[in-house]
Amino acid sequence: MKKIRVILIDDERSARAEVRLALLPHSDFEIIAEASNADEAQEQIKTLQPDLLFLDIQMPEKSGFDLLESLNRVPLVIFTTAFDQYAVQAFEINALDYLTKPVREERFVKALERIRDRIRTDAMVHQMTTAESTRLTTDQQLFVKDGVHYYFIRVGDISLIESLENYSRIYFNSKKTYQKRSLNQWEELLDVTLFFRISRTHIVNRSYIKDVHRLPKGKLQLELTTGQRLDVSSRQSVKFKKINSL
């Protein structure tokens, strides 16, 4: 197995040194960079495309949550925090793991094993081998911070994206949340073989289409597995018919 490439992100140098020392016996993990704040980390992640972040939640100016929200592609994350309430919060948003400071060796080893298990899965292998693609694959994840709620969202679990001017509403796993990203920005990120923009206001995950209904004047209406019915614009109806040989 290829080495698991790691970036350490913590405003405290001693905390980064603690994780670096703890990783020494684990030769399958390779630290490729360190960052002391969210802005520095954002550039490193964009350039180096790591597999894993050890990420402090509470940092000056921008938190670890703020950093994740700024990323188009979110690597695997182990949160590190000195505050229990942040640990609980991280656990509630399905972080792969979290460690409270000071880090106990037993917990650290267990966290690494969870990373190894995740990396071994077919989905994660697929994500790692396509990391340099300009578009998101179904197994990659996004991080969304919506008020006091935080979500890691697998791209393939998004059924519908709805435009709300400069914001968008994301439907996934019987839930919905909001993000400050326009539909045009989503179009640049998403895999065009899976997601289809049906109108000025909606992008649909084609795997969630249950049925296609014909409307007057050649327009279409899509019925999703979620029960939603959405009209396709005239222009996009023509394109949808051509793509799907209707």
Side-chain angles (χ1 to χ4, degrees):
M1 183 185 295
K2 61 180 286 189
K3 284 185 179 290
I4 298 168
R5 303 166 72 248
V6 179
I7 293 181
L8 310 181
I9 306 165
D10 198 306
D11 61 304
E12 296 180 2
R13 181 178 295 182
S14 59
R16 299 198 306 272
E18 180 184 12
V19 176
R20 177 179 285 276
L21 184 63
L23 278 174
L24 278 178
H26 305 278
S27 59
D28 51 335
F29 289 82
E30 177 187 10
I31 299 172
I32 58 174
E34 296 185 19
S36 60
N37 59 69
D39 289 335
E40 182 183 2
Q42 183 180 21
E43 288 302 314
Q44 291 178 345
I45 294 166
K46 182 178 178 180
T47 302
L48 300 175
Q49 295 289 320
D51 304 312
L52 171 66
L53 307 178
F54 278 89
L55 177 61
D56 185 20
I57 297 175
Q58 190 178 57
M59 295 185 290
E61 297 183 11
K62 295 181 181 178
S63 71
F65 293 146
D66 293 329
L67 168 64
L68 294 179
E69 190 181 30
S70 72
L71 303 176
N72 289 333
R73 292 173 180 78
V74 178
L76 296 178
V77 178
I78 293 178
F79 284 114
T80 58
T81 177
F83 302 95
D84 286 343
Q85 72 266 29
Y86 287 116
V88 172
Q89 203 170 38
F91 195 72
E92 288 177 345
I93 59 172
N94 296 321
L96 194 58
D97 212 335
Y98 69 90
L99 302 170
T100 53
K101 304 174 186 176
V103 177
R104 292 185 294 110
E105 182 180 1
E106 181 182 354
R107 278 290 293 118
F108 190 84
V109 171
K110 286 183 178 179
L112 295 189
E113 193 53 43
R114 292 186 70 182
I115 293 293
R116 293 185 181 102
D117 288 343
R118 177 69 178 269
I119 294 288
R120 290 186 189 109
T121 63
D122 291 340
M124 195 59 219
V125 170
H126 179 65
Q127 176 175 335
M128 290 169 65
T129 56
T130 58
E132 295 184 3
S133 170
T134 58
R135 294 183 181 270
L136 294 170
T137 65
T138 57
D139 293 315
Q140 288 176 317
Q141 60 183 2
L142 299 166
F143 178 85
V144 177
K145 180 166 67 73
D146 180 9
V148 297
H149 300 288
Y150 303 83
Y151 304 99
F152 280 107
I153 304 174
R154 179 180 170 273
V155 173
D157 291 335
I158 298 173
S159 60
L160 174 67
I161 303 173
E162 182 178 26
S163 174
L164 299 170
E165 297 183 353
N166 292 329
Y167 286 80
S168 53
R169 181 186 288 130
I170 308 165
Y171 294 80
F172 67 103
N173 295 337
S174 301
K175 298 178 182 179
K176 58 186 176 181
T177 187
Y178 299 86
Q179 189 176 43
K180 191 173 183 180
R181 178 176 280 156
S182 69
L183 241 59
N184 288 339
Q185 290 173 315
W186 278 112
E187 274 196 297
E188 293 176 0
L189 282 176
L190 296 172
D191 183 352
V192 294
T193 65
L194 182 63
F195 289 88
F196 184 79
R197 183 164 183 171
I198 64 171
S199 65
R200 292 178 60 187
T201 54
H202 292 100
I203 293 176
V204 168
N205 184 333
R206 294 170 63 184
S207 66
Y208 284 83
I209 298 175
K210 179 181 179 181
D211 205 353
V212 180
H213 304 282
R214 295 184 182 272
L215 300 179
K217 299 182 180 180
K219 292 180 66 175
L220 300 174
Q221 184 184 77
L222 304 183
E223 181 181 353
L224 305 186
T225 58
T226 58
Q228 295 159 295
R229 286 181 176 242
L230 302 163
D231 290 348
V232 186
S233 71
S234 297
R235 180 178 178 181
Q236 293 304 93
S237 290
V238 172
K239 187 174 180 181
F240 188 88
K241 290 176 187 177
K242 184 176 181 180
I243 292 173
N244 295 279
S245 302
L246 296 179

